[in-house]
Amino acid sequence: MSDTKQRYGLLDLYRFLLGFWVLSCHDFFFVQNTTGHFSVAELAPDFFFVISGYFLLKSMQKKKYVPVHIGMRDLLRARIKPLFFSICFITTFNLVCTALFIRDDVFYSLFLMFRYWWYVVYLYAAVALFYCAYKLIKTKRGFVIFLFATAIIMGVLDYLLELGIIPIYELTFSTRTLGCMSTGMLISYIPKLKFKKFNYNILITALLIPILFILAYNEKDFFTCLLMIILFASLVYFTTNISFGGKVFDVLGQLGTRMYLYMSFITTIYLLGITHHRILFVIDVALASMDLVIYHYKQKYEAARAKSVE
């Protein structure tokens, strides 16, 4: 396994655990949040966006001297290709079931089926936006200022939305996406801490995780959410200084993403009358695992075919 994968093994583990938690906390699964407090799962997308922003900057730096249209095509393709089968399969299944079995409130049913994909849609839109900005702003300092300004402006907008001063709830997802991804990209510009005798990044990471769990059960307000996003960014920063992982963690990270996508599939089954929580949970994990196995065999086949052509 390459050093890159080893270094980011913990981030893959976070993705899997948070993806699992998101599943367990949604209403048609077996754990429900009815306390009036917010759970880690409600802020999991923010953590995912911080991680995505961190990796996006790394990818954009490799496309620095590539024409804009080619670089954008490659960035989007790299993110769509691993999930292409999942998206096509789930979309086809949902549309066919809607056409055959659902007669009332068709559009609302479709909304319920695909509502969990907002993360994917906003991610792809943000990738295009930030890459265009990266290509237009020629200097490193200029882009850092742009990212910092974006994070601040999105934070202010989010606060105004929270207060109801801007009465457009749908903008919340846009502000969270752009604010968290710009924060993740800013992390990449912070110099890495180096320790001679002991890697204190391990100790700091171990302290940050329980703090995040404690904050997750405070009252939900803007400033608590903002503090958690800052702590998410800190956790990503210190985690990337720890060399840990392997292929298993890479697979777990991919599985977590697929489990989230297949919530759309599970919603359709739920609407068709299968409502047993644990059965739905098992179906989601099983389909995500099968999807991942198919993808890895497809990769092996493509690699073998390319090698035979050479």
Side-chain angles (χ1 to χ4, degrees), residues 65-243:
Y65 302 107
V66 175
V68 177
H69 66 286
I70 296 175
M72 190 177 297
R73 180 201 65 191
D74 292 345
L75 288 171
L76 291 174
R77 181 186 289 173
R79 284 154 180 79
I80 293 173
K81 187 179 177 182
L83 304 173
F84 184 73
F85 173 79
S86 315
I87 292 170
C88 290
F89 173 66
I90 296 168
T91 302
T92 303
F93 178 82
N94 289 355
L95 293 177
V96 168
C97 287
T98 302
L100 293 178
F101 304 112
I102 297 175
R103 295 287 178 264
D104 301 323
D105 296 327
V106 172
F107 290 107
Y108 182 65
S109 297
L110 287 171
F111 164 73
L112 290 177
M113 292 174 190
F114 292 106
R115 61 177 170 161
Y116 300 110
W117 285 12
W118 72 269
Y119 166 78
V120 179
V121 174
Y122 277 77
L123 176 63
Y124 292 153
V127 167
L129 243 148
F130 280 118
Y131 184 63
C132 287
Y134 182 73
K135 295 294 285 185
L136 287 170
I137 303 170
K138 302 297 182 183
T139 63
K140 176 181 173 181
R141 179 180 293 179
F143 191 63
V144 169
I145 292 171
F146 166 76
L147 292 175
F148 189 75
T150 301
I152 296 295
I153 292 168
M154 292 304 111
V156 171
L157 283 175
D158 199 24
Y159 183 58
L160 296 176
L161 287 163
E162 180 79 17
L163 293 176
I165 296 173
I166 301 177
I168 309 173
Y169 176 74
E170 290 75 14
L171 283 177
T172 303
F173 301 118
S174 304
T175 57
R176 285 172 65 184
T177 303
L178 296 175
C180 291
M181 287 190 72
S182 55
T183 302
M185 283 187 272
L186 282 170
I187 296 170
S188 297
Y189 288 112
I190 301 175
K192 301 296 182 185
L193 297 175
K194 295 182 180 179
F195 302 101
K196 292 182 178 179
K197 294 184 178 180
F198 178 76
N199 189 352
Y200 287 96
N201 294 294
I202 299 171
L203 181 61
I204 296 168
T205 299
L207 289 172
L208 282 173
I209 292 172
I211 291 171
L212 281 165
F213 274 93
I214 293 168
L215 281 173
Y217 291 96
N218 286 329
E219 291 292 340
K220 182 178 181 180
D221 57 53
F222 169 78
F223 293 105
T224 307
C225 293
L226 182 63
L227 177 59
M228 287 199 71
I229 291 169
I230 293 170
L231 289 174
F232 281 152
S234 303
L235 183 60
V236 172
Y237 171 74
F238 289 109
T239 298
T240 54
N241 290 326
I242 302 170
S243 181

